[in-house]
Amino acid sequence: MDFMQIGDAAIHYRAVGLDGRRPVIAFINSLGTDFRIWDAVVERLSGTYGIVLHDKRGHGLSPAGSEPISIERHAADLLALLDHLGVARAVFCGLSVGGQIAQSIAATAPERVRALILSNTAPKIGTAESWAARIAAIKAEGLPALVEPVMERWFTPAFRRADNPLYAGARTMLAQQNEAGYAATCAAIRDADYTKAAGRIAVPTLCIAGAGDGSTPPDLVRAMAARIPGSRFVEIPSCGHIPCLEQPAAHAAALTDFLAGLPEH
């Protein structure tokens, strides 16, 4: 296991293939998950690209630390990790809140961004009222009480089968997340709005939606793509909010096709 200390938070990460010759993809997880969600996609890409994975603070094996959590704090953590690894520029592939973290980096440190992959995300996600209700539910009942409604937004009925071990694993992963870190990131999403910044993105951008996504529906992702000059939009059929788990082959194919068309520098 590899960790990098940032203040009083130790960021858990994994880096492979950083040989200075291959383009680097920095993957950024969704709310309530850790970097294992990318395993099946990374398996398909790691021979061609350098890979950086990390658990954002308050998720997985990364403690929340004492600093206030915001999208900008998460973005600063990732940039510090890339500095630590000697990565000056990367493709940022963010899922859900991970996509907002990628948008923050594009807005504040565009020189670090070779391209963006914004999967199942939007410049603004949800409403202040919906996030306040979720935070209140966590404080009152704990994170396990939210597993069922979250799973309904994350995955299609075909994936939510009792005999699907991957679905069982996703449920357990969510239930075991740090409740304080989860709630703090809910508040960070509540306060984030990159709508204006989307129009200023000036790097190649791929926007991905899941046809059955209950958290960031296709129309929301499509509207984001329309704001980003020259972006590409892909909708994955038979897929919910976490395509790297539900449809990893299709998700990896969309990434591979987009990445193959990037300029070399």
Side-chain angles (χ1 to χ4, degrees):
M1 293 188 293
D2 294 311
F3 291 86
M4 178 188 175
Q5 194 73 32
I6 302 177
D8 61 353
I11 303 300
H12 179 220
Y13 72 91
R14 180 187 301 157
V16 295
L18 303 187
D19 55 12
R21 298 188 301 273
R22 287 178 280 189
V24 175
I25 308 172
F27 289 93
I28 319 171
N29 315 331
S30 55
L31 176 68
T33 66
D34 59 56
F35 67 57
R36 290 174 294 182
I37 65 170
W38 299 107
D39 284 353
V41 170
V42 167
E43 182 179 355
R44 291 167 166 84
L45 299 178
S46 58
T48 305
Y49 300 94
I51 303 292
V52 176
L53 306 159
H54 79 293
D55 291 337
K56 59 186 170 292
R57 61 175 64 212
H59 286 70
L61 297 183
S62 298
S66 60
E67 292 186 49
I69 289 179
S70 64
I71 300 300
E72 292 74 22
R73 176 68 267 169
H74 286 312
D77 287 344
L78 177 52
L79 289 176
L81 174 60
L82 294 177
D83 288 341
H84 173 71
L85 296 171
V87 177
R89 199 161 172 252
V91 175
F92 291 88
C93 178
L95 175 63
S96 195
V97 66
Q100 292 194 317
I101 295 167
Q103 291 173 71
S104 176
I105 292 172
T108 60
E111 72 282 358
R112 306 296 298 269
V113 184
R114 184 179 182 214
L116 289 174
I117 299 169
L118 304 177
S119 186
N120 305 76
T121 189
K124 183 167 181 61
I125 300 173
T127 64
E129 294 75 17
S130 66
W131 290 113
R134 191 180 303 197
I135 293 167
I138 295 167
K139 292 179 179 178
E141 305 175 71
L143 191 49
L146 296 182
V147 169
E148 288 302 328
V150 169
M151 291 296 107
E152 291 178 2
R153 290 191 293 270
W154 275 12
F155 299 114
T156 65
F159 189 83
R160 298 195 315 269
R161 302 188 322 270
D163 64 344
N164 181 359
L166 186 55
Y167 173 58
R171 289 170 52 87
T172 301
M173 178 173 54
L174 174 61
Q176 293 182 349
Q177 293 300 315
N178 180 302
E179 289 187 357
Y182 184 96
T185 298
C186 286
I189 300 170
R190 177 198 64 200
D191 297 338
D193 188 347
Y194 295 96
T195 303
K196 292 182 179 178
R200 296 191 292 270
I201 292 174
V203 295
T205 301
L206 172 65
C207 301
I208 301 175
D213 188 344
S215 293
T216 52
D219 284 350
L220 185 64
V221 182
R222 189 179 288 107
M224 174 182 64
R227 289 182 174 274
I228 299 173
S231 70
R232 183 189 304 183
F233 174 79
V234 172
E235 183 175 320
I236 299 177
S238 305
C239 187
H241 189 57
I242 317 286
C244 47
L245 289 179
E246 187 164 4
Q247 296 289 353
H251 201 218
L255 269 61
T256 299
D257 181 61
F258 171 71
L259 294 166
L262 293 180
E264 292 188 8
H265 302 288

